[in-house]
Amino acid sequence: MIAGDALSTEAGRLWAEFGGTPDMGEAMHSVRKLLEFDIETAICYHGEACRGDIREQLERMVS
């Protein structure tokens, strides 16, 4: 998956930087949509590629 600015990585882990997001609910809804896909690798604009346990990382973000 190419996440663009939707997600970032740090030390090989996904994280969401929503500080500049005007609509937090919509941002979280967008992350929840990603749970519909079987993602093996996430490529983010900020950070490096993230591989493995992507679904678990996304689930933690939206919980």
Side-chain angles (χ1 to χ4, degrees):
M1 165 190 69
I2 299 175
D5 278 339
L7 300 168
S8 297
T9 58
E10 184 173 297
R13 306 296 296 171
L14 287 175
W15 62 284
E17 175 54 56
F18 296 129
T21 301
D23 188 340
M24 181 61 84
E26 186 62 32
M28 295 309 289
H29 178 70
S30 294
V31 174
R32 280 188 193 92
K33 284 182 177 181
L34 298 175
L35 291 170
E36 298 174 13
F37 302 98
D38 182 25
I39 302 169
E40 294 179 18
T41 303
I43 301 170
C44 304
Y45 182 72
H46 299 284
E48 68 277 358
C50 181
R51 294 174 181 83
D53 75 334
I54 303 295
R55 180 175 189 79
E56 291 82 7
Q57 293 182 62
L58 293 172
E59 287 172 341
R60 279 193 295 271
M61 276 185 229
V62 299
S63 62

